[in-house]
Amino acid sequence: MAVSSSSFLSTASLTNSKSNISFASSVSPSIRSVVFRSSIPPSSHRRVMTVRSKIREIFMPALSSTMTEGKIVSWIKTEGEKLAKGESVVVVESDKADMDVETFYDGYLAAIVVGEGETAPVGAAIGLLAETEAEIEEAKTKAASKSSSSSSAAEAVATSPPPVTSSPAPAIAQPTPVTAVADGPRKTVATPYAKKLAKQHKVDIGSIAGTGPFGRVTATDVETAAGIAPSKSSVAPPPPPPPAAVNGKATTATNLPPLLPDSSIVPFTAMQSAVSKNMIESLSVPTFRVGYPVNTDALDALYEKVKPKGVTMTALLAKAAGMALAQHPVVNASCKDGKSFSYNANINVAVAVAINGGLITPVLQDADKLDLYLLSQKWKELVGKARSKQLQPHEYNSGTFTLSNLGMFGVDRFDAILPPGQGAIMAVGGSKPTVVADKDGFFSVKNRMVVNVTADHRIVYGADLAAFLQTFAKIIENPDSLTL
Amino acid sequence: MQSALSLSFSQSSLPLANRPFCSSNAAPSFTPRNLRFCGLRREAFGFSPSKQLTSCRFQIQNRRIEISASAGNGAPSKSFDYDLIIIGAGVGGHGAALHAVEKGLKTAIIEGDVVGGTCVNRGCVPSKALLAVSGRMRELQNEHHMKAFGLQVSAAGYDRQGVADHASNLATKIRNNLTNSMKALGVDILTGFGAVLGPQKVKYGDNIITGKDIIIATGSVPFVPKGIEVDGKTVITSDHALKLESVPDWIAIVGSGYIGLEFSDVYTALGSEVTFIEALDQLMPGFDPEISKLAQRVLINPRKIDYHTGVFASKITPAKDGKPVMIELIDAKTKEPKDTLEVDAALIATGRAPFTNGLGLENINVATQRGFIPVDERMRVIDGNGKLVPHLYCIGDANGKLMLAHAASAQGISVVEQVTGTDHVLNHLSIPAACFTHPEISMVGLTEPQAREKAEKEGFKVSIAKTSFKANTKALAENEGEGLAKMIYRPDNGEILGVHIFGLHAADLIHEASNAIALGTRIQEIKLAVHAHPTLSEVVDELFKAAKVDSPASVTAQSVKVAV
């Protein structure tokens, strides 16, 4: 640290703004150098007064020897503004510090090619300087053709305060400000943030109908006009909350939409935030669902038998899923980058449990290999840890397949969301007596449950899932293998 | 307060003997005062070694004597009721009173309003409470900032009344501390508006008292230019704003100095949009230009703030009859109408006017200048004929030299030094100033243009050293690398002319520089001092180290080097 900072410091201390400008050249490594490139050499430029273009480019200067590109922190001048020699025009952030860049020439900042917050390589044109006001338009056209992505610079709207009206009289004479629009030219009243946004999104603020108090244009109006969702803030600076206290009452600052009266805001807990994040992420995975009815008479009978030994239904289902997965490894695979998928070496069945209003998925590792009793024991241990919030990360995020069971609530079927990073999730409904007809047409009443699997269609196809479910159903219907 | 007391014991006897006070009285007055002094120590800190217990007994007796003395006008021990009377119990008066007691003076302080004055009740103190809230809001709302820490916080909100209560509770607490500290020391707090009746004679309420020396410390009130109608609801001054009775959607702040800037920090953090109205051509006049440029980039541009410069608010009408607050702007130079603004509220932060009306200055032939009481460099009041008024001093905002709470206090201490026989001239260039925005701004001494002007006049060279917070470990750990420290100095002798800091905790960082200026420490000496790593103070350290002083390091400095 000491070395890098002191090298910067020594440069800084030697330099002083005023004296430097006059000597600055593109050769000097000075921190305040400004590089201007003119299409005409300065000497000829002076003689030939009829030269068509006196538009200079403002370059991204090299502010340090290691700098390869710079970020525009802010433009101190706006487009169309007059510049005097030596004035700061733009602030550039290099790898070391932010520096003001000053102009060599008098003139007008005709166009901004690289906007605030954007980066440009050293030497690239970041703006255009016109010598006279008349050339601003020309420069803008040039800028429009020059800049690829940020071509919009040329059509920038005037951002200075609205045109001066020297007659405040009409505004005062009006009975209510809302009806004011009717009587003649009334200037647009826009809030400071609305003006900032309008500048940013290149919206003509004069064309926006204000919906704020007294008909003023608010930030929301500008966002609506710019066609962006007001709730999403694409701005770099932190979005402070929208104006809070109406009629002096204490309210809580939130993002849009406005709250209904008396509603309360409860910030997400860490667990809720994590769930929220995972759920949003899951939207990027193309999924499909396949349902399958499974007879559970044999399973129920087995459960009755092993229950006294501490075996839970969760362990039975996990074991069954694990064994089925072992035969269909593709369902146990995961696709993380969208380009390849990986067969997981272990079959780790995550089981969703609701805990204190939260949701967590403790993982039964090697569900196919462990026996029922060990699995049950393990499961109890995990649930205990989950309740006391002592699960270790590998105990809740190492799952390769998820099981979610809402059967105990009487749910007959449901649809689960695939957690990111896994190939499939199984939603287990409740088992209930159902009238079934066998292939000979005889009716009988059997206990039946519906399982519904959601899978990542990038890696698991319909036939894969169907085959997996068939295997799973066979295991459940002939559960003796579970106890082996 | 504590440091003052710890010094007091050793000092108490010496200056007393030297006092230019009726010498015959010196001996008898010495003892009781000294004893009373012991007593206050006991009261203040409750420690009671046996030696002091005895002295306390004396003290009680002595008090009785004093009371009877003052009742029986013209008692032999004294010709005055008090050694020092201070009019105004703000921070300046408080600082003077504490120091006076330490020096053994019998002191009275007169207050017509609440103890603590502007700073404690309507200024620095409650505003710091609001700024503490705004700083946290700002951080919590800054998703990017939080993410950079790996923190997840959502939906930061605030309860306006809770914020307002924090500010008023803080003011109350500090006010009580101030009152108690004076009571504990035995300062008589007299209630009523004080006025000067004549030389060494003061009136408060219906009482008249005499004092050997008198300090006027009546402070200031918000200055409201004419044409502006303050209703306390939608058109307000800092007095109202600190109560935070509402948080308007859009507030215009007239004036972009310390007060305006701090309030813009508070209001934008609480969700308001702000429009600055500044009469000068640049925002934040008075700051070093480079600092104000950076401050504008960090404190103004990315926030929901816009501004009009070079304009006066010629007329401001409060919101009424369903109309918003109307502000008429005129060009500051041509006086031509320029624009009209419609906002929800306007805060007038155009500076402060001295509060010197009704002080009875005409009784002693003193004419105020724009309300300020003229004083010399020793705070001695100058009368209409340009002569010094004996035994009358004026400190703080009322003299307008440097309108800062700690400057008033320093001036008060300087006056007490003088009246107890030690000549003292306060170096105002060593008084630091700070603006508690996020991040903070602080400064001491000259700005770069001022220094260059002085250099040209006096024929010396000026150099500038700069450091960035971007290179500071602690600042980066806090993800607060935005900041600049700048020192203006003389390369020929290493004198520090001014230091300006913009960055995290700048207000706490300035004192190394201000102390160096006050003590006359040269860069070549201070640059060898060691700073803990990693701390923000290394920013200042780097500043000293970056300076290039022509002359070789002084002998002492070199010997230190050898010793190390």
Side-chain angles (χ1 to χ4, degrees):
Chain A
M1 181 207 86
V3 176
S4 70
S5 63
S6 62
S7 70
F8 156 60
L9 295 176
S10 54
T11 344
S13 61
L14 284 173
T15 321
N16 91 49
S17 59
K18 293 288 178 249
S19 63
N20 190 45
I21 310 155
S22 44
F23 299 115
S25 71
S26 52
V27 188
S28 116
S30 121
I31 54 162
R32 279 174 180 274
S33 66
V34 187
V35 194
F36 281 89
R37 180 167 55 193
S38 172
S39 36
I40 310 112
S43 54
S44 66
H45 165 77
R46 215 159 245 265
R47 269 182 289 118
V48 192
M49 293 309 286
T50 52
V51 159
R52 214 179 65 83
S53 166
K54 269 169 273 172
I55 297 160
R56 294 186 171 88
E57 289 175 351
I58 305 173
F59 278 75
M60 174 61 72
L63 299 177
S64 72
S65 52
T66 55
M67 176 172 165
T68 53
E69 59 169 27
K71 181 177 164 194
I72 308 288
V73 176
S74 63
W75 282 93
I76 296 165
K77 301 288 176 183
T78 49
E79 286 182 3
E81 207 170 327
K82 197 168 167 21
L83 305 175
K85 196 168 143 182
E87 268 188 308
S88 298
V89 183
V90 60
V91 182
V92 172
E93 183 184 275
S94 74
D95 49 352
K96 290 205 176 109
D98 293 359
M99 293 295 163
D100 287 3
V101 175
E102 297 164 4
T103 165
F104 270 163
Y105 303 97
D106 293 337
Y108 295 85
L109 179 60
I112 290 170
V113 179
V114 180
E116 289 181 7
E118 293 173 44
T119 49
V122 167
I126 54 175
L128 293 179
L129 180 93
E131 194 156 284
T132 65
E133 221 163 338
E135 286 159 353
I136 295 179
E137 275 313 309
E138 191 188 330
K140 281 186 179 175
T141 331
K142 204 172 158 186
S145 62
K146 181 179 293 294
S147 54
S148 47
S149 59
S150 56
S151 59
S152 42
E155 53 197 271
V157 236
T159 51
S160 47
V164 179
T165 48
S166 52
S167 57
I172 292 166
Q174 287 138 14
T176 58
V178 189
T179 57
V181 196
D183 15 356
R186 202 183 119 85
K187 66 168 189 171
T188 313
V189 176
T191 71
Y193 190 42
K195 283 184 209 161
K196 273 201 173 128
L197 283 176
K199 183 180 174 186
Q200 199 178 0
H201 297 295
K202 322 256 188 246
V203 177
D204 178 11
I205 208 147
S207 67
I208 301 173
T211 62
F214 311 104
R216 72 172 68 128
V217 178
T218 64
T220 321
D221 295 335
V222 175
E223 280 173 333
T224 313
I228 47 172
S231 55
K232 284 269 175 192
S233 143
S234 58
V235 207
V246 195
N247 61 37
K249 209 178 87 186
T251 51
T252 320
T254 57
N255 277 330
L256 300 167
L259 279 182
L260 292 173
D262 299 327
S263 30
S264 61
I265 288 178
V266 182
F268 274 163
T269 61
M271 188 194 269
Q272 288 166 327
S273 299
V275 170
S276 163
K277 186 173 150 275
N278 278 341
M279 291 303 97
I280 298 292
E281 248 173 65
S282 72
L283 291 176
S284 63
V285 177
T287 54
F288 72 112
R289 293 149 195 92
V290 176
Y292 205 98
V294 184
N295 288 338
T296 60
D297 289 315
L299 183 73
D300 294 342
L302 176 67
Y303 182 49
E304 286 308 315
K305 249 192 278 176
V306 294
K307 202 175 171 185
K309 295 175 186 162
V311 173
T312 60
M313 184 51 90
T314 301
L316 282 169
L317 290 171
K319 176 76 179 166
M323 288 170 68
L325 286 169
Q327 295 180 39
H328 301 274
V330 73
V331 183
N332 192 48
S334 43
C335 172
K336 284 182 174 136
D337 55 1
K339 290 179 201 133
S340 62
F341 63 107
S342 49
Y343 286 108
N344 292 302
N346 299 43
I347 293 173
N348 298 337
V349 176
V351 185
V353 283
I355 280 179
N356 305 333
L359 171 67
I360 197 152
T361 53
V363 176
L364 286 166
Q365 283 168 346
D366 294 321
D368 59 325
K369 297 199 182 93
L370 291 184
D371 70 42
L372 263 182
Y373 307 100
L374 273 176
L375 271 182
S376 302
Q377 217 173 2
K378 185 87 192 150
W379 180 244
K380 272 182 198 139
E381 187 190 319
L382 288 171
V383 170
K385 278 190 178 177
R387 288 229 168 84
S388 54
K389 298 192 173 159
Q390 280 172 348
L391 280 180
Q392 298 301 308
H394 70 90
E395 289 173 320
Y396 60 80
N397 64 15
S398 60
T400 56
F401 178 87
T402 303
L403 196 63
S404 181
N405 184 1
L406 292 181
M408 56 288 219
F409 296 109
V411 169
D412 68 343
R413 76 194 68 192
F414 71 104
D415 199 17
I417 293 181
L418 180 65
Q422 294 185 14
I425 179 170
M426 178 185 281
V428 181
S431 171
K432 58 178 182 183
T434 313
V435 179
V436 274
D438 67 14
K439 57 187 176 203
D440 300 324
F442 289 109
F443 292 114
S444 61
V445 173
K446 294 213 154 112
N447 278 336
R448 220 171 212 209
M449 69 178 183
V450 175
V451 296
N452 192 8
V453 178
T454 305
D456 181 347
H457 207 302
R458 291 174 302 177
I459 52 173
V460 183
Y461 305 154
D464 298 331
L465 206 48
F468 163 75
L469 280 165
Q470 201 176 18
T471 307
F472 177 78
K474 267 192 193 137
I475 294 170
I476 295 288
E477 285 162 10
N478 306 289
D480 291 343
S481 58
L482 290 175
T483 54
L484 292 178
Chain B
M1 189 190 85
Q2 296 206 343
S3 62
L5 280 168
S6 63
L7 283 173
S8 60
F9 222 117
S10 57
Q11 286 184 354
S12 58
S13 55
L14 268 174
L16 278 172
N18 298 339
R19 266 187 316 152
F21 191 125
C22 325
S23 56
S24 60
N25 284 345
S29 66
F30 171 83
T31 342
R33 250 187 234 113
N34 195 20
L35 289 171
R36 183 179 70 213
F37 184 72
C38 294
L40 66 89
R41 284 189 67 133
R42 193 185 65 90
E43 278 171 43
F45 294 110
F47 73 84
S48 47
S50 57
K51 217 176 181 181
Q52 284 185 337
L53 270 179
T54 44
S55 53
C56 284
R57 217 176 300 133
F58 279 113
Q59 183 241 335
I60 292 159
Q61 290 172 350
N62 159 57
R63 262 212 184 145
R64 211 176 295 138
I65 293 164
E66 281 192 2
I67 289 162
S68 64
S70 59
N73 207 2
S77 63
K78 271 198 189 150
S79 38
F80 297 105
D81 298 333
Y82 292 97
D83 296 326
L84 182 64
I85 298 172
I86 302 162
I87 305 176
V91 169
H94 175 258
L98 254 52
H99 194 62
V101 172
E102 186 189 321
K103 289 287 188 181
L105 303 186
K106 185 172 192 309
T107 308
I109 195 160
I110 300 174
E111 179 55 57
D113 189 19
V114 280
V115 170
T118 299
C119 171
V120 173
N121 299 295
R122 300 172 299 273
C124 345
V125 172
S127 66
K128 294 306 97 61
L130 297 183
L131 283 158
V133 174
S134 78
R136 282 179 175 77
M137 275 302 282
R138 218 171 265 297
E139 258 184 81
L140 292 174
Q141 288 163 0
N142 190 339
E143 240 173 86
H144 178 71
H145 182 79
M146 284 291 151
K147 234 181 228 165
F149 281 122
L151 291 179
Q152 292 171 346
V153 179
S154 43
Y158 70 94
D159 161 30
R160 184 199 54 77
Q161 192 55 50
V163 179
D165 289 347
H166 174 49
S168 70
N169 291 345
L170 180 69
T172 310
K173 188 182 276 175
I174 304 293
R175 180 166 65 237
N176 290 341
N177 286 353
L178 237 66
T179 313
N180 291 342
S181 71
M182 290 197 290
K183 276 191 184 151
L185 293 175
V187 174
D188 285 346
I189 302 173
L190 311 173
T191 308
F193 279 94
V196 180
L197 280 187
Q200 299 174 299
K201 197 184 279 181
V202 171
K203 185 183 133 183
Y204 72 97
D206 296 329
N207 311 302
I208 293 171
I209 49 171
T210 57
K212 188 182 157 292
D213 291 291
I214 295 165
I215 297 179
I216 297 172
T218 46
S220 61
V221 291
F223 169 67
V224 179
K226 61 175 195 256
I228 296 177
E229 189 187 333
V230 171
D231 70 345
K233 296 269 177 263
T234 55
V235 180
I236 59 178
T237 67
S238 57
D239 288 1
H240 311 105
L242 287 167
K243 293 183 189 144
L244 201 74
E245 279 170 354
S246 68
V247 179
D249 289 351
W250 184 5
I251 184 165
I253 299 182
V254 186
S256 64
Y258 298 73
I259 304 175
L261 212 54
E262 289 190 353
F263 274 108
S264 80
D265 197 279
V266 171
Y267 279 118
T268 51
L270 299 186
S272 303
E273 295 182 31
V274 168
T275 296
F276 268 120
I277 298 168
E278 172 59 52
L280 296 176
D281 287 333
Q282 219 192 338
L283 286 181
M284 295 171 269
F287 293 130
D288 183 88
E290 203 166 345
I291 296 289
S292 68
K293 213 167 5 175
L294 180 62
Q296 172 156 353
R297 222 172 69 214
V298 177
L299 301 177
I300 309 282
N301 294 351
R303 299 187 180 170
K304 294 176 177 177
I305 301 177
D306 69 350
Y307 49 87
H308 300 260
T309 53
V311 290
F312 281 129
S314 60
K315 188 168 181 227
I316 301 184
T317 329
K320 54 187 164 197
D321 309 328
K323 276 191 294 198
V325 174
M326 307 290 294
I327 303 177
E328 287 176 27
L329 299 181
I330 58 168
D331 191 290
K333 290 185 193 90
T334 63
K335 308 285 179 219
E336 275 168 23
K338 263 199 112 167
D339 207 343
T340 314
L341 303 180
E342 299 172 13
V343 291
D344 297 319
L347 168 67
I348 313 305
T350 41
R352 301 188 58 90
F355 181 65
T356 52
N357 276 344
L359 254 180
L361 295 171
E362 60 287 351
N363 299 332
I364 42 168
N365 187 29
V366 170
T368 58
Q369 291 165 2
R370 292 178 300 121
F372 293 109
I373 297 177
V375 292
D376 70 353
E377 80 279 4
R378 288 179 172 80
M379 311 302 139
R380 294 179 291 198
V381 174
I382 300 169
D383 72 9
N385 304 325
K387 284 203 204 121
L388 295 177
V389 181
H391 305 294
L392 185 64
Y393 301 82
C394 175
I395 62 168
D397 288 3
N399 71 30
K401 267 184 184 288
L402 191 56
M403 297 174 83
L404 294 168
H406 49 276
S409 186
Q411 290 170 355
I413 289 168
S414 171
V415 168
V416 171
E417 283 290 313
Q418 290 170 56
V419 303
T420 52
T422 320
D423 188 29
H424 188 269
V425 178
L426 181 64
N427 177 9
H428 282 84
L429 285 177
S430 73
I431 298 180
C435 184
F436 295 83
T437 43
H438 295 94
E440 296 172 342
I441 310 171
S442 65
M443 69 214 73
V444 64
L446 305 174
T447 62
E448 188 179 336
Q450 285 168 343
R452 293 206 180 279
E453 196 187 317
K454 188 179 177 199
E456 198 151 311
K457 229 179 266 168
E458 299 177 14
F460 58 83
K461 264 176 65 185
V462 166
S463 290
I464 310 288
K466 281 184 226 168
T467 56
S468 162
F469 279 63
K470 278 201 170 87
N472 183 277
T473 311
K474 191 75 188 302
L476 291 177
E478 302 280 344
N479 273 331
E480 301 271 3
E482 189 82 71
L484 173 81
K486 168 179 179 180
M487 176 169 68
I488 301 139
Y489 64 100
R490 283 181 65 158
D492 55 344
N493 61 10
E495 184 189 350
I496 302 170
L497 300 172
V499 173
H500 304 265
I501 307 176
F502 175 87
L504 184 64
H505 295 307
D508 291 316
L509 293 177
I510 196 70
H511 300 98
E512 199 170 346
S514 65
N515 287 350
I517 293 178
L519 303 175
T521 313
R522 299 296 157 113
I523 296 169
Q524 56 269 36
E525 293 159 4
I526 203 168
K527 76 194 298 181
L528 300 173
V530 182
H531 294 68
H533 175 76
T535 57
L536 291 173
S537 72
E538 288 170 294
V539 170
V540 187
D541 186 29
E542 297 232 9
L543 207 51
F544 296 139
K545 290 193 162 65
K548 300 248 184 304
V549 181
D550 301 338
S551 66
S554 69
V555 182
T556 43
Q558 266 171 349
S559 67
V560 169
K561 208 189 235 166
V562 172
V564 169

